[in-house]
Amino acid sequence: MALASSPASVLGAAGSRLARLKAQARKPGEASFFFYDAHFKNDAVKILPGEYFVDDEDILVMTTLGSCIAACLWDREEQVGGMNHFMLPEGGGAAALAASGRYGSYAMELLINEMIKRGATRSTMEAKVFGGGAVISGMNTINVGERNTTFVLDYLRTERIAVVSKDVMDIYPRKVCFLPASGK
């Protein structure tokens, strides 16, 4: 008796993971742009402004930042981690707009709550923070990058989540690559 090969077995383990991730339903604000990164030779997900992603496998979680912030959280006991990407510290105006991952206060809640759902605890979480750059010269009056940086560091201090690494402020954009199972 011959068995038909499934598309997953033909693609191999890496291809089946991408297919599985692409097929899963996504929560509001959860990243959904999955691809294979040839440079790092790894499956990857791109985080856009206002999005987050949490996993317990070492899929490459990537984003590019200017004045925005990416917080990478990792739970050292549960081996689960995630990243968000937010544009401003807090939203004003309508409640629907304020409840958007584009604002740090909501983005941090989304990320922390999703990690807790996966078994993480605040006491075993650690953070790496990136971004907050002043990448456009002459835009010093509103200091978005500085405000974002101050917000996220204060937020993490209030939540008692240790910041183990940070690369913030200055004038440079940043490309961030994070592996959520290992915290690298």
Side-chain angles (χ1 to χ4, degrees):
M1 169 185 248
L3 295 174
S5 295
S6 71
S9 65
V10 173
L11 290 172
S16 64
R17 178 167 68 171
L18 280 179
R20 178 178 42 83
L21 287 166
K22 288 178 181 181
Q24 284 178 345
R26 297 279 139 215
K27 298 173 184 162
E30 188 177 14
S32 60
F33 186 84
F34 298 99
F35 63 100
Y36 181 78
D37 186 279
H39 177 77
F40 289 102
K41 296 178 176 49
N42 201 12
D43 294 340
V45 58
K46 183 170 188 165
I47 307 293
L48 300 174
E51 293 183 338
Y52 74 95
F53 187 78
V54 174
D55 209 345
D56 59 0
E57 293 183 35
D58 269 342
I59 182 171
L60 191 62
V61 184
M62 307 171 78
T63 198
T64 305
L65 305 165
S67 61
C68 294
I69 291 286
C72 299
L73 300 183
W74 182 64
D75 186 290
R76 61 186 170 271
E77 288 184 9
E78 292 298 319
Q79 308 291 294
V80 62
M83 178 194 294
N84 64 17
H85 178 153
F86 66 86
M87 300 169 70
L88 294 168
E90 297 188 42
L97 187 57
S100 166
R102 293 181 180 184
Y103 298 103
S105 51
Y106 191 66
M108 293 305 295
E109 283 183 41
L110 283 172
L111 180 58
I112 291 169
N113 289 341
E114 187 61 29
M115 288 191 55
I116 289 171
K117 287 177 191 172
R118 302 216 186 183
T121 60
R122 283 177 176 81
S123 63
T124 55
M125 280 186 211
E126 51 190 50
K128 296 179 181 181
V129 178
F130 305 93
V135 296
I136 302 173
S137 66
M139 293 289 286
N140 300 347
T141 55
I142 54 175
N143 292 325
V144 174
E146 185 178 337
R147 288 175 38 223
N148 281 339
T149 301
T150 300
F151 165 79
V152 74
L153 295 175
D154 288 347
Y155 189 98
L156 291 165
R157 188 176 313 106
T158 300
E159 294 293 323
R160 293 185 174 100
I161 298 172
V163 177
V164 296
S165 178
K166 63 183 177 181
D167 183 13
V168 293
M169 308 280 286
D170 215 334
I171 60 169
Y172 305 105
R174 292 158 172 93
K175 180 175 183 177
V176 181
C177 302
F178 180 65
L179 295 167
S182 64
K184 293 180 183 177

